[in-house]
Amino acid sequence: MNDELVNTTPAYTVITQKTCYSIAPACYNTITIDSFHGDSFTMTMVSHNCPTGGPVMGPGTVVEQTFALANEGNTLTIINTE
C-alpha cells in the first residue's frame, strides 16, 4: 500500500477458474476472477474482514492485477498495485 508491503504473513490461498479466497492470521478475503489478459487479470472483491488502516477494497470493487509464474510454474506471484 503506497509502495510499501502490507501484511506479508503467508496466507493459505485457493484459486479456481472463477474464484479465489485467501486466509491469513490477520484476515480473510474472497474474490471472483472476471477475466485474464496476458499477465494480468481482473477481479471483483466479494467480501473480507481485513483491518481497514488505509484505503478499503469494499465488496463490488473491481481491480486489475498482474501476475508472474516462476520456478517452472510452481510459484505464483500476484502484484496488486491498487
Side-chain angles (χ1 to χ4, degrees):
M1 197 171 279
N2 296 326
D3 293 326
E4 294 184 29
L5 292 175
V6 176
N7 191 16
T8 58
T9 304
Y12 174 78
T13 302
V14 174
I15 301 171
T16 69
Q17 287 183 328
K18 292 290 182 183
T19 61
C20 172
Y21 70 86
S22 186
I23 301 169
C27 62
Y28 76 87
N29 65 57
T30 304
I31 63 173
T32 59
I33 299 171
D34 305 319
S35 62
F36 280 92
H37 309 283
D39 67 347
S40 67
F41 66 98
T42 302
M43 64 170 226
T44 301
M45 177 61 70
V46 175
S47 63
H48 71 82
N49 71 343
C50 297
T52 57
V56 176
M57 267 195 343
T61 302
V62 177
V63 178
E64 185 162 325
Q65 301 186 82
T66 59
F67 67 92
L69 291 172
N71 192 23
E72 297 180 9
N74 292 314
T75 303
L76 169 67
T77 301
I78 298 174
I79 302 101
N80 181 348
T81 58
E82 298 192 31

